[in-house]
Amino acid sequence: MPPLCPMQSATCYLNGEFLPLAAAKVSVLDRGFIFGDGVYEVIPVYGRKAFRLNHHLQRLQNSLDAIRIDNPLSNQEWQQIIDTLIEQNEGDEQSIYLHVTRGVAQRDHAFPAYTPATVFLMSNPLLAPEPTTVALGIKAVTLPDIRWLNCHIKAISLLPNILFRQQAIDSGSDEAILIRDGMATEGAASNLFIVKDGVIITPPKGSQLLPGITRDLIVELAQQHQLNCEEREITEQQLFDADEIWISSSTKEVVPVLELNQQTVGGGQPGPVWKQIYLLYQAMKQELRNGQHK
Ligand code: PDD
């Protein structure tokens, strides 16, 4: 048997109880297990404070509404659970995984009546890469976006996304950039930005991509600092013609893509606009650690 992973002793939360991860058990009839019937959030924690928690809780509400699960907890209750989880786990920087399913019921595609939702949260270490490592960038490949048209829902059923990511890795890359109807949408687990002639461009929010919290923050930071930023479609051709390409997510922050389909992007160096946004993002994190804002 492979050794238990060290995280097994970490404290998690399951349906009202804080307990070691190794002791947390869910029924095999849970609809999350049977159907992938649930939604999730990943919330970064800096200086033991959840970053942009209200934004994550609002997106959780939107995802729950979209799949018709009543939110089992109030925002205050979510906040309390998350604060306790942060307190009970090691590390000033953590990543909180939050997961809600439609609960345990006899297997039937139709929704069960009166079944309480399953609520599970765990904390993972958040290992933000060193600035020098981030600046090495990542490699990406384009893949056809074969997902459904509800990509704005942060659904736990991630089969296409894991296959995209694995296909990228199998071809020697780190991330897949998805193409639907000739447009670049997002990454397997990240949002997409390009820079062309000094203008930052990211696809508009809609059913074809997840409204990333990091994406929104980058747009906000760009606007606050008078950087040119447009939310509009990116054609496949524009992606290949870009001066800079970045991907963003709560765990990866904002990372330059320096190779796309084995072709160098931006001369193989991170661009000046990425550098600016990266530094602004780091400053935000530092302000949160200093207790200046949420
Ligand atoms: N994923 N698009 C997809 C498909 C994602 O799965 C993610 C994040 C993002 C970026 O969203 P945010 O900035 O809110 O993290 C975009 C998380 C990190 C995950 O599945 O682990």
Side-chain angles (χ1 to χ4, degrees):
M1 266 228 328
L4 270 185
C5 103
M7 284 304 297
Q8 296 280 312
S9 62
T11 299
C12 69
Y13 172 95
L14 180 63
N15 296 331
E17 241 192 296
F18 289 93
L19 70 176
L21 198 52
K25 303 278 184 262
V26 180
S27 165
V28 290
L29 287 180
D30 193 279
R31 288 177 64 98
F33 182 63
I34 296 283
F35 292 120
D37 183 1
V39 295
Y40 77 108
E41 281 296 322
V42 177
I43 307 159
V45 171
Y46 301 111
R48 294 199 167 263
K49 296 180 200 93
F51 192 38
R52 302 231 130 186
L53 182 58
N54 293 342
H55 296 74
H56 283 279
L57 292 178
Q58 183 57 56
R59 185 173 63 185
L60 173 69
Q61 183 66 56
N62 297 344
S63 295
L64 287 168
D65 289 347
I67 69 162
R68 295 159 61 190
I69 293 181
D70 288 336
N71 194 335
L73 298 168
S74 67
N75 277 2
Q76 206 187 347
E77 289 168 322
W78 283 118
Q79 168 112 43
Q80 271 165 7
I81 293 169
I82 290 167
D83 286 348
T84 308
L85 204 58
I86 295 171
E87 215 176 275
Q88 296 201 0
N89 282 288
E90 280 174 25
D92 288 350
E93 324 263 283
Q94 302 177 24
S95 157
I96 301 294
Y97 176 82
L98 180 167
H99 172 120
V100 181
T101 80
R102 205 180 304 275
V104 178
Q106 178 113 38
R107 184 179 184 278
D108 182 351
H109 287 65
F111 297 171
Y114 319 118
T115 304
T118 299
V119 177
F120 170 64
L121 289 90
M122 65 177 162
S123 165
N124 289 307
L126 182 62
L127 305 167
E130 292 298 313
T132 44
T133 313
V134 190
L136 295 176
I138 60 161
K139 296 177 184 175
V141 280
T142 53
L143 290 177
D145 192 350
I146 45 105
R147 296 175 301 168
W148 66 340
L149 279 170
N150 281 313
C151 298
H152 58 292
I153 302 172
K154 200 159 171 60
I156 59 169
S157 32
L158 287 170
L159 206 41
N161 306 63
I162 62 168
L163 292 172
F164 294 146
R165 174 63 65 80
Q166 192 57 45
Q167 222 176 313
I169 289 170
D170 291 345
S171 68
S173 289
D174 306 288
E175 180 60 314
I177 295 179
L178 308 175
I179 309 290
R180 194 196 292 259
D181 300 329
M183 303 295 167
T185 55
E186 62 176 339
S190 56
N191 288 112
L192 172 70
F193 289 82
I194 65 166
V195 177
K196 186 68 186 172
D197 300 327
V199 182
I200 303 168
I201 307 161
T202 192
K205 289 193 268 190
S207 61
Q208 306 200 352
L209 54 95
L210 187 80
I213 307 300
T214 321
R215 171 206 179 277
D216 285 357
L217 175 59
I218 292 170
V219 171
E220 253 178 66
L221 287 173
Q223 284 164 352
Q224 277 168 19
H225 292 84
Q226 286 77 45
L227 298 172
N228 245 326
C229 182
E230 294 177 10
E231 296 178 69
R232 62 173 159 86
E233 304 274 23
I234 298 171
T235 65
E236 194 172 0
Q237 193 55 51
Q238 287 166 342
L239 178 69
F240 282 97
D241 292 343
D243 301 327
E244 300 182 28
I245 302 176
W246 327 325
I247 56 120
S248 71
S249 82
S250 292
T251 45
K252 300 246 159 60
E253 305 177 353
V254 53
V255 184
V257 174
L258 298 182
E259 199 182 294
L260 182 64
N261 294 359
Q262 289 162 358
Q263 289 171 38
T264 301
V265 177
Q269 296 297 322
V273 189
W274 169 78
K275 186 86 201 268
Q276 253 178 302
I277 288 289
Y278 176 77
L279 292 176
L280 290 170
Y281 194 90
Q282 299 310 310
M284 282 284 289
K285 280 168 56 182
Q286 197 50 46
E287 284 169 20
L288 183 72
R289 291 188 189 107
N290 298 342
Q292 277 163 262
H293 59 76
K294 284 191 172 180

